[in-house]
Amino acid sequence: MCAARSRGRDVGAASCPVVALGPAVLALANPPWQRDVWLDASTFENLDHIFHTLFDDFCDADEPERYLGTSLRTEGEVALMRELGAALNAAADEAPNDTDVEYFQAASWPEVVAVAGRLAQVMVGNDLGELVAVHDSEAEGQPTNQPRCREAH
């Protein structure tokens, strides 16, 4: 777990809804959002919120394998989440005062954005594949309670 952002909290093994992870990953892939929202002290969301989502509250980006089938649909998502965790930890090493500005200025931050972009693309593709599968099975009269994910990458 990224020690710089865990704040010493007890991390439970909560289930990882895709709904929580998707927006966090998309935000990491969007530098204009980061500047406009995370650096605005009047907003709720900041980089600390993202770290808690990915490492504490809804997943463990250092060891995402146990979330396969709950918040992460495919092995590809698991591999990219692990890569994202490593990139975030590298950025944390370059942010001695743990400020969002330091993270954004870290030499490794572009890698965070790039990996998050790849993961977001895969997650969105898998979400869309799941929606198509649900639509198709409803049209064919099949039960929709079984996941039918087609991995995007």
Side-chain angles (χ1 to χ4, degrees):
M1 174 192 325
C2 181
R5 290 291 178 147
S6 70
R7 307 280 193 245
R9 296 178 352 143
D10 182 22
V11 180
S15 66
C16 285
V18 174
V19 168
L21 292 179
V25 172
L26 287 167
L28 281 171
N30 188 340
W33 173 268
Q34 296 163 13
R35 286 187 303 276
D36 293 347
V37 175
W38 295 347
L39 296 180
D40 181 350
S42 69
T43 64
F44 166 75
E45 185 180 310
N46 57 25
L47 188 53
D48 195 50
H49 171 79
I50 300 301
F51 268 83
H52 283 296
T53 299
L54 297 180
F55 287 94
D56 297 342
D57 299 336
F58 296 100
C59 202
D60 180 356
D62 288 326
E63 297 179 14
E65 292 79 8
R66 71 177 185 215
Y67 295 98
L68 179 62
T70 55
S71 66
L72 301 170
R73 289 192 168 113
T74 65
E75 292 286 346
E77 288 182 6
V78 169
L80 285 166
M81 182 61 76
R82 177 178 286 287
E83 192 176 336
L84 180 58
L88 285 165
N89 285 323
D93 291 343
E94 297 179 60
N97 296 312
D98 198 33
T99 67
D100 291 359
V101 171
E102 287 177 323
Y103 278 86
F104 301 155
Q105 293 173 346
S108 58
W109 192 253
E111 180 66 11
V112 169
V113 173
V115 174
R118 291 193 305 271
L119 177 55
Q121 183 178 15
V122 170
M123 291 178 85
V124 168
N126 288 338
D127 288 350
L128 292 174
E130 188 72 18
L131 287 171
V132 168
V134 167
H135 178 268
D136 290 349
S137 42
E138 285 178 352
E140 296 170 7
Q142 296 175 356
T144 60
N145 62 348
Q146 298 298 316
R148 302 170 196 252
C149 188
R150 300 175 192 142
E151 189 166 346
H153 188 346

